[in-house]
Amino acid sequence: SIRLPLTLAIIDGMITRVGNEKYIIPTISIRESLKPEAGQIVTVTGKGEVVNVRGALIPLIRLHRLYDVEGAIQTPDEGLIMVVEEGKRQACLLIDELLGQQQIVIKSLGPRFSNLKWIAGASILGDGRVGLILDVNGLIALALTGRRQENAEEKAEQAEQSPAGAEEATVS
């Protein structure tokens, strides 16, 4: 006998590659993808890395750093930028390659993997490998709020490393 689930969740997803890993981004969340030029990526104090997309500064998330993926493209001008949005909030994701679009059957990760950050689910791809479905809303929240937290932690570390009273020293 065949046992079928009562419900299936299917989404249109864009399959991307970062290093040797495949990630799925729901197409409903994708605004555009672009090949960045070297001058488009800048670091803004208090915001971290941002991409200048037609005059708008949008925070950049390097997926290979976030998920600790080896063998991925390190410099944005060698990869692709995927601009994702949720409502009016946006973020840019650095990916290595765009592999294509297809309908994806969403598999729940279950209670064992429910604590994975920024992952909404998984799918078995055509080649038999597992592709992780990105939680775009969570990634955008990270890009918009996590950067401020990172910068605060960096400043705290720098303050701890500097000699006491160094900022007070003046020469007359």
Side-chain angles (χ1 to χ4, degrees), residues 1-28:
S1 68
I2 297 175
R3 297 185 75 193
L4 296 174
L6 293 176
T7 59
L8 286 177
I10 299 174
I11 61 166
D12 284 325
M14 191 68 68
I15 301 172
T16 62
R17 184 181 61 79
V18 177
N20 290 324
E21 302 297 326
K22 292 182 180 175
Y23 296 100
I24 301 162
I25 303 169
T27 54
I28 196 165

Side-chain angles (χ1 to χ4, degrees), residues 18 37 40 44 47 55 81 86 88 92 98 105 117 129 133 140 145 147 151 155 171:
V18 177
E37 297 174 11
Q40 277 185 282
V44 176
K47 292 190 178 192
I81 297 290
E86 196 71 40
K88 294 185 178 188
C92 292
L98 201 55
V105 177
K117 291 185 175 185
R129 294 182 56 191
I133 302 168
I140 292 173
T145 59
R147 300 290 183 206
N151 291 332
K155 286 179 183 176
V171 178

